Amino acid sequence: MYNSLWQTILGEIELSLNDDVAFNTWFKDTSLNITTEDIAIIEVKNVFAVSQLQKKYDALIRSLFTKNGVTPLDVRYAPQKTGVKKTINREISTALPVTPAGDSTLPAMATVPISGNLNTKYTFDNFIVGGSNDLAYSAARAIADSPGRKWNPFFIYGGVGLGKTHLAQAIGNEIIDKNPLARVTYASLNDFTREFLDSIRFKKKFPDRYRQSDVLIIDDIQFLTGKEKTQDAFFDIFNTLHEANKQIILTSDRPPSSIVTLTDRLRSRFEMGMLVDVQLPDFETRCAIIETKAAMSGHELDRETVEYIAQSIKTNIRELEGSLNQLLAFSEMRGVTPDKNMAEGLITGASRTSRTKSISSRQVIDKTAKYFSLSPSEVCSAKRDKHIANARQVAMYLLRSELHLSYPQIASELGRKDHTTAMHSVSKIENSIKLDMHVREQVDSIREALYV
Ligand code: ADP
Ligand code: MG
């Protein structure tokens, strides 16, 4: 029904982008729906496209709606329905050694989460429950069942890689599953801060989505430390939402009482709802996590291997996952069944779970060149044209930040003899990133291209 409007808008997007690759990547095979609540829902290929459109093209799309005489109440992005997600989860949950209760509460149909910032891979179904996290898990489910009514705010704290983000997002995903129109906003405190500072610096309007959320999830709230102005802004939004009985979910690596320089008024608000912690998983839970994750990717590990990994990695579920993935990748590459020996070799190896290993300097230079529409040899040349010099500096910065190369190494990757240029370039881009949103976006885009 909205096809012709959307085709018109797409035509204008294509013209204004003037970039076939970008257009095909993000806009090809998209479609538009407008709900009875007057909300425009643009269906795109996948969750990644959702976040790209939201980040980069939202303003353009909104302005084109208006230009074509349609002003929906809101514009949202959703991945196309595939029906895959729930099927996979169901299969897995029957294979779980420790299965979270509540399979019967699964909605029968595949769902279309609307909020672009949530990652649909974080669900309750694939969260393994054990003694270390069962309280947090039950509370999270209760919140998802009646957001805004039970405990507000819901504050989850605990060490790194123990499932705080997973749980917080699972609540959001579950709420959207039940009510696709719920406005669930997810942001890390750092995203929030950045948007807040940009709004001041560039005299832009601070995004309404925070204040207009039905559910607001702020991850890693401990970073409020030392940010007075951001604390004030957040306090304001917190109160507005709280008074309207909108659910607020916060995560932190420590309890509110240990967040230093948090104003008392915020601390007391953080403590007024429900505080739960996630603790280090015990041995059995670690085994269950490994077995389940292996099953999710279609592998079965023998008990010895599972126990070996569970014994070797005790403090961080993300690391546990990383080692397992490495083991599975390695066994696939070799075409042999993963076993304890292989696990030993990988886990004792020095290069454990380092994502920096998977990209090379060559890729950094190629992707940077491509981003700036240059050839890699131009980036590595001695040319001083501003555009080329800038691309070269960004490449140097990325070699440092992503690959941790030394300055002499960076210089030699770019065909330089003198490493002081590399030092200056890296520090120049470091500063620009702090001051200039545009540079930040450039660097983020290249990073994304490197890892996706
Ligand atoms: P945190 O936010 O506490 O640092 P995350 O939520 O990012 O940790 O978890 C790190 C990784 O471990 C994620 O990939 C997450 O899915 C996984 N994970 C953590 N806890 C569990 C769990 N109980 N069951 C399954 N996966 C988990
Ligand atoms: Mg987290």
Side-chain angles (χ1 to χ4, degrees):
M1 180 162 44
Y2 305 100
N3 195 28
S4 65
L5 168 64
W6 187 234
Q7 291 309 323
T8 311
I9 293 183
L10 281 180
E12 300 190 38
I13 292 175
E14 194 170 4
L15 274 180
S16 80
L17 285 188
N18 193 19
D19 174 347
D20 283 353
V21 176
F23 184 80
N24 285 333
T25 311
W26 307 122
F27 293 98
K28 209 171 143 224
D29 300 329
T30 54
S31 59
L32 167 70
N33 244 308
I34 299 184
T35 68
T36 45
E37 280 89 358
D38 204 18
I39 291 170
I41 296 180
I42 297 162
E43 285 203 352
V44 302
K45 278 183 209 154
N46 49 39
V47 203
F48 188 59
V50 168
S51 86
Q52 284 296 302
L53 263 69
Q54 222 155 32
K55 265 198 269 175
K56 294 203 183 128
Y57 305 110
D58 187 57
L60 173 66
I61 293 170
R62 283 173 194 260
S63 72
L64 289 174
F65 269 109
T66 313
K67 190 175 159 206
N68 285 283
V70 181
T71 307
L73 215 54
D74 198 2
V75 178
R76 300 182 195 171
Y77 307 90
Q80 273 152 8
K81 298 178 200 191
T82 59
V84 166
K85 181 183 133 203
K86 286 295 173 196
T87 328
I88 293 177
N89 286 340
R90 248 176 227 278
E91 274 167 21
I92 294 155
S93 50
T94 56
L96 293 187
V98 184
T99 311
D103 195 50
S104 58
T105 63
L106 282 181
M109 277 174 43
T111 49
V112 183
I114 285 171
S115 178
N117 288 334
L118 281 175
N119 188 332
T120 50
K121 80 174 187 187
Y122 294 125
T123 63
F124 285 129
D125 313 61
N126 61 20
F127 189 83
I128 318 299
V129 187
S132 56
N133 58 23
D134 56 348
L135 204 70
Y137 171 81
S138 315
R141 281 216 92 118
I143 301 276
D145 285 342
S146 51
R149 269 174 280 148
K150 264 223 147 73
W151 298 297
N152 211 3
F154 180 49
F155 193 104
I156 312 171
Y157 68 93
V160 176
L162 297 184
K164 302 181 297 293
T165 299
H166 188 135
L167 265 186
Q169 294 217 22
I171 301 174
N173 281 321
E174 177 85 6
I175 290 172
I176 289 175
D177 263 9
K178 289 190 181 139
N179 172 13
L181 293 176
R183 288 167 300 187
V184 178
T185 305
Y186 169 87
S188 68
L189 194 270
N190 286 340
D191 293 338
F192 178 88
T193 305
R194 188 182 302 158
E195 282 184 83
F196 169 65
L197 293 180
D198 281 350
S199 74
I200 296 177
R201 202 176 285 143
F202 303 109
K203 300 201 168 45
K204 281 197 319 198
K205 192 163 170 292
F206 187 62
D208 290 331
R209 63 191 166 96
Y210 292 107
R211 209 174 279 279
Q212 291 174 355
S213 312
D214 296 316
V215 178
L216 175 64
I217 307 172
I218 301 287
D219 211 350
D220 290 320
I221 195 90
Q222 75 271 9
F223 291 125
L224 271 177
T225 295
K227 295 176 180 141
E228 259 174 63
K229 290 276 181 296
T230 309
Q231 288 194 24
D232 289 345
F234 185 70
F235 182 73
D236 215 39
I237 290 172
F238 184 102
N239 285 340
T240 307
L241 293 178
H242 199 265
E243 273 158 29
N245 291 328
K246 304 295 190 187
Q247 182 68 47
I248 301 160
I249 299 164
L250 306 170
T251 78
S252 164
D253 68 354
R254 65 202 77 177
S257 56
S258 309
I259 305 179
V260 288
T261 77
L262 191 65
T263 57
D264 286 341
R265 55 182 197 168
L266 264 181
R267 180 169 300 126
S268 69
R269 272 165 184 74
F270 288 175
E271 285 171 344
M272 71 201 234
M274 166 85 149
L275 290 179
V276 293
D277 66 340
V278 284
Q279 294 162 2
L280 291 180
D282 55 32
F283 179 69
E284 276 313 314
T285 311
R286 297 202 298 279
C287 290
I289 290 173
I290 297 164
E291 277 173 346
T292 311
K293 302 231 164 184
M296 279 164 87
S297 44
H299 293 81
E300 202 178 326
L301 295 180
D302 60 32
R303 189 67 197 173
E304 202 191 7
T305 314
V306 171
E307 291 189 353
Y308 174 76
I309 305 175
Q311 243 144 23
S312 316
I313 297 164
K314 301 198 172 98
T315 56
N316 184 327
I317 298 172
R318 184 179 295 117
E319 236 177 85
L320 204 60
E321 254 187 328
S323 297
L324 173 69
N325 288 341
Q326 242 189 340
L327 176 70
L328 299 180
F330 194 72
S331 88
E332 269 176 24
M333 220 160 61
R334 292 277 174 95
V336 291
T337 317
D339 60 11
K340 184 178 168 218
N341 266 345
M342 193 187 280
E344 273 174 350
L346 287 169
I347 289 175
T348 46
S351 64
R352 208 179 62 205
T353 66
S354 164
R355 79 168 189 169
T356 57
K357 290 289 179 264
S358 57
I359 58 167
S360 65
S361 327
R362 194 68 248 161
Q363 283 167 304
V364 171
I365 294 169
D366 286 356
K367 297 284 181 197
T368 309
K370 184 155 181 239
Y371 180 85
F372 289 103
S373 308
L374 295 167
S375 69
S377 57
E378 279 174 306
V379 173
C380 298
S381 73
K383 286 189 190 153
R384 284 164 183 265
D385 312 37
K386 202 164 166 220
H387 183 54
I388 301 179
N390 178 51
R392 190 177 300 131
Q393 286 167 345
V394 170
M396 289 180 167
Y397 167 80
L398 287 167
L399 287 172
R400 181 79 184 166
S401 71
E402 304 308 297
L403 296 181
H404 310 291
L405 296 192
S406 67
Y407 292 113
Q409 281 171 325
I410 295 172
S412 101
E413 289 294 343
L414 287 144
R416 296 286 181 294
K417 290 204 184 72
D418 180 9
H419 73 273
T420 54
T421 323
M423 282 170 73
H424 290 311
S425 302
V426 172
S427 89
K428 181 179 161 217
I429 300 296
E430 262 167 11
N431 284 327
S432 309
I433 285 174
K434 286 185 206 134
L435 300 171
D436 186 341
M437 190 175 61
H438 186 58
V439 177
R440 200 154 60 225
E441 280 176 2
Q442 287 181 336
V443 171
D444 282 347
S445 302
I446 301 171
R447 265 206 195 105
E448 225 161 57
L450 278 170
Y451 291 112
V452 173

